[in-house]
């Protein structure tokens, strides 16, 4: 689960990461009022959306009068901000953050992620902040400093110091840097985060006093499976920023993942899901989504899952692939037959059943007289559904 910049900043600040003064606002009037309250002569108005790359997309604006703050806020509120991370529809802007403008001397990158290959938390830094890290990692991987954290020891002071030196942080600021890095790490650990990113972490200009380190942007995302022990964070969930297909399914207790293709998939278990997606790709198709019905799914649950898969307008054919252990093929088959009765299913549906009560399940499908395509193996099922999806496209007038 992602949270907004201002929420991430608030959480990090609690652990000791310095952030600029600012406040969230819900209307242009509030924006002007906030700017006045903050005082000073320059403010930054920032669209709060769950996507990075706001700066280059016009979602971060420096203003020097309260009238300008008001105008910028007026333009941003209610708009959909399209950034390189938001997807083509963009994200709805209905909260803004107004903060004091900092004088920047240098922009650095600081992040914490879970590295799946080493199964460790990894702290990442770069002298080149402000730019997108994925791009930097691809073009110039040597510009990234990576530090792997030993789970039993945590992120140690000497490691934080090494990172500070690698980022060329001036000597007098090293203790502060160590404090910032380790505070962010503590926040990551304590709150069961999946990612923390401070980009940019800036060294301020020394013209108005001593330089300091400040987190000008912050991003955090959290492990969904740990949210039950952080109710305060679970409450920060903002549905307006999520994939509508995924929240619809989550509300019904179904695990759904939206993808870009046109074949809808209903599966049990994440491992079988991965295998099914691979087989579809191998057969030349592209999955639109996959929905995991989990174990012991009742016909009613299967019906709900069916609806969730078909909810996606891009789906032109659907594959039901069940390898039943705790599940029962006859219940799944009944759910599929019920779905045809309850929903106007206009696309080809391929069903492949294996495992517990498979004979009973196949008999229910056969006896239904419905135009359901069946297959015995996964490879066969994948071929069938890809061919069916292609045919639908041709019938629809799109070249396959
Ligand atoms: P995004 O990463 O979504 O583009 P950022 O918050 O990183 O948004 O803002 C983009 C850029 O705007 C930053 O790299 C920084 O140069 C500038 N910026 C952001 N906040 C401030 C601020 N408070 N004061 C001065 N400049 C800022
Ligand atoms: Mg940023």
């Amino acid at each position: 689960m992602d949270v907004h910049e201002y929420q991430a900043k608030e959480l990090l600040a609690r652990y000791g990461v310095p952030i600029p003064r600012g406040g969230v606002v819900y209307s242009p009037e509030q924006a002007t009022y906030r700017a006045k309250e903050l005082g000073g002569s320059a403010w930054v108005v920032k669209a709060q959306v769950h996507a990075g790359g706001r700066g280059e997309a016009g979602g971060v604006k420096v203003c020097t009068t309260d009238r300008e703050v008001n105008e910028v806020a007026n333009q941003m509120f209610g708009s959909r901000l399209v950034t390189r991370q938001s997807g083509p529809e963009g994200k709805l802007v209905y909260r803004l953050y107004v903060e004091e403008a900092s004088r920047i001397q240098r922009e650095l990158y600081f992040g914490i992620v879970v590295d799946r290959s080493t199964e460790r938390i990894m702290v990442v830094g770069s002298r080149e902040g402000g730019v997108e890290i994925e791009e930097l990692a691809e073009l110039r991987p040597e510009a990234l400093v990576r530090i792997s954290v030993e789970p039993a020891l945590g992120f140690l002071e000497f490691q934080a110091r090494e990172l500070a030196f690698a980022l060329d942080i001036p000597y007098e600021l090293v203790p502060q840097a160590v404090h910032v890095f380790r505070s962010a790490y503590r926040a990551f650990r304590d709150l069961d985060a999946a990612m923390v990113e401070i980009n940019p972490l800036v060294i301020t200009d020394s013209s108005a006093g001593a330089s300091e380190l400040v987190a000008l942007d912050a991003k955090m995302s959290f492990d969904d499976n740990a949210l039950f022990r952080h109710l305060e964070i679970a409450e920060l969930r903002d549905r307006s920023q999520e994939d509508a297909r995924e929240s619809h399914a989550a509300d019904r207790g179904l695990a759904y993942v939206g993808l870009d293709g046109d074949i809808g998939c209903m599966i049990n278990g994440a491992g079988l899901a991965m295998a099914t997606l691979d087989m579809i790709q191998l057969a030349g198709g592209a999955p639109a989504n996959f929905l995991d019905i989990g174990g012991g799914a009742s016909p009613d649950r299967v019906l709900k899952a069916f609806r969730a898969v078909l909810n996606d307008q891009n789906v032109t054919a659907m594959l039901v692939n069940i390898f039943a252990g705790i599940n029962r093929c006859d219940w799944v088959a009944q759910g599929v037959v019920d779905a045809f009765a309850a929903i106007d299913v206009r696309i080809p549906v391929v069903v492949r059943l294996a495992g517990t009560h498979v004979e009973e399940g196949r008999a229910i499908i056969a006896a239904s007289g419905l135009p359901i395509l069946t297959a015995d193996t996964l490879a066969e099922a994948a071929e069938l559904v890809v061919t069916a999806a292609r045919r639908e496209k041709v019938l629809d007038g799109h070249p396959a």
Side-chain angles (χ1 to χ4, degrees):
M1 187 193 83
D2 295 335
V3 298
H4 289 291
E5 171 199 5
Y6 78 94
Q7 296 164 332
K9 277 182 168 163
E10 219 170 277
L11 291 168
L12 289 173
R14 262 188 234 167
Y15 282 82
V17 175
I19 57 167
R21 290 186 310 130
V24 65
V25 300
Y26 293 87
S27 70
E29 296 69 39
Q30 275 187 338
T32 337
Y33 184 78
R34 263 294 185 212
K36 280 193 189 135
E37 196 181 55
L38 287 168
S41 55
W43 306 273
V44 185
V45 178
K46 309 177 83 173
Q48 297 300 291
V49 291
H50 287 186
R54 295 166 302 165
E56 57 180 20
V60 176
K61 290 262 162 74
V62 181
C63 303
T64 49
T65 62
D66 38 307
R67 198 158 145 199
E68 207 183 337
V69 169
N70 193 273
E71 279 163 16
V72 166
N74 249 314
Q75 283 161 13
M76 285 188 187
F77 272 117
S79 67
R80 294 192 75 92
L81 188 66
V82 181
T83 80
R84 59 165 100 186
Q85 293 182 5
S86 67
E89 319 89 68
K91 303 268 186 186
L92 179 66
V93 181
Y94 74 104
R95 301 177 201 192
L96 300 180
Y97 192 56
V98 179
E99 69 181 7
E100 58 185 1
S102 301
R103 291 167 175 275
I104 304 170
Q105 191 189 111
R106 277 179 58 202
E107 299 198 358
L108 308 169
Y109 175 91
F110 175 83
I112 308 175
V113 290
V114 179
D115 179 31
R116 289 170 196 275
S117 58
T118 55
E119 301 176 7
R120 303 247 156 131
I121 293 173
M122 189 156 71
V123 178
V124 185
S126 176
R127 271 177 269 196
E128 296 167 45
V131 295
E132 212 170 332
I133 197 70
E134 288 82 3
E135 212 166 273
L136 194 60
E138 206 160 287
L139 296 177
R140 305 198 316 97
E142 72 281 359
L144 293 184
V145 184
R146 298 162 210 256
I147 297 178
S148 188
V149 178
E150 159 65 45
L153 299 176
F155 185 48
L156 298 171
E157 203 159 322
F158 86 89
Q159 292 180 301
R161 250 190 322 266
E162 270 179 6
L163 180 60
F165 294 141
L167 300 187
D168 276 340
I169 290 175
Y171 200 70
E172 63 281 8
L173 283 178
V174 168
Q176 210 188 328
V178 168
H179 175 72
V180 171
F181 299 160
R182 296 187 79 210
S183 301
Y185 176 79
R186 257 200 319 278
F188 181 98
R189 279 295 305 265
D190 284 8
L191 303 175
D192 288 312
M195 189 268 289
V196 167
E197 192 179 69
I198 303 178
N199 187 23
L201 171 66
V202 301
I203 301 177
T204 58
D205 200 312
S206 55
S207 57
S211 288
E212 46 186 12
L213 282 166
V214 182
L216 277 205
D217 187 13
K219 240 187 186 181
M220 282 184 95
S221 72
F222 296 89
D223 183 346
D224 290 339
N225 295 314
L227 285 177
F228 74 93
R229 47 184 195 186
H230 302 288
L231 296 181
E232 189 198 25
I233 287 168
E235 277 172 5
L236 301 180
R237 181 161 175 202
D238 183 352
R239 286 164 178 284
S240 76
Q241 305 290 315
E242 294 176 357
D243 182 325
R245 300 173 299 176
E246 290 182 18
S247 2
H248 174 94
D251 288 347
R252 285 153 188 79
L254 299 162
Y256 178 101
V257 176
L259 301 163
D260 306 327
D262 60 354
I263 297 176
C265 304
M266 193 168 107
I267 306 158
N268 66 303
L272 186 63
M274 293 300 128
T276 307
L277 301 187
D278 283 350
M279 291 302 278
I280 288 173
Q281 304 253 14
L282 192 65
N289 55 40
F290 76 81
L291 193 141
D292 182 356
I293 58 166
S298 64
D300 186 45
R301 189 173 164 81
V302 173
L303 168 61
K304 278 189 190 144
F306 219 90
R307 268 191 213 281
V309 172
L310 293 186
N311 218 7
D312 184 338
Q313 301 301 318
N314 296 330
V315 172
T316 58
M318 176 170 168
L319 171 60
V320 178
N321 182 28
I322 302 296
F323 193 103
I326 314 169
N327 271 304
R328 288 176 46 172
C329 288
D330 51 340
W331 285 10
V332 173
Q334 192 56 52
V336 172
V337 171
D338 291 352
F340 271 81
I343 313 168
D344 181 16
V345 183
R346 295 185 178 182
I347 56 162
V349 175
V350 177
V351 176
R352 181 255 176 167
L353 300 172
T356 311
H357 289 202
V358 65
E359 292 311 328
E360 291 89 329
R362 285 182 185 156
I364 290 170
I365 302 274
S368 73
L370 291 167
I372 297 172
L373 303 164
T374 55
D376 290 336
T377 67
L378 174 51
E380 220 176 287
E383 285 287 343
L384 262 180
V385 76
V386 170
T387 314
R390 240 181 238 149
R391 197 174 309 129
E392 286 297 300
K393 262 201 184 147
V394 174
L395 290 178
D396 246 16
H398 301 296

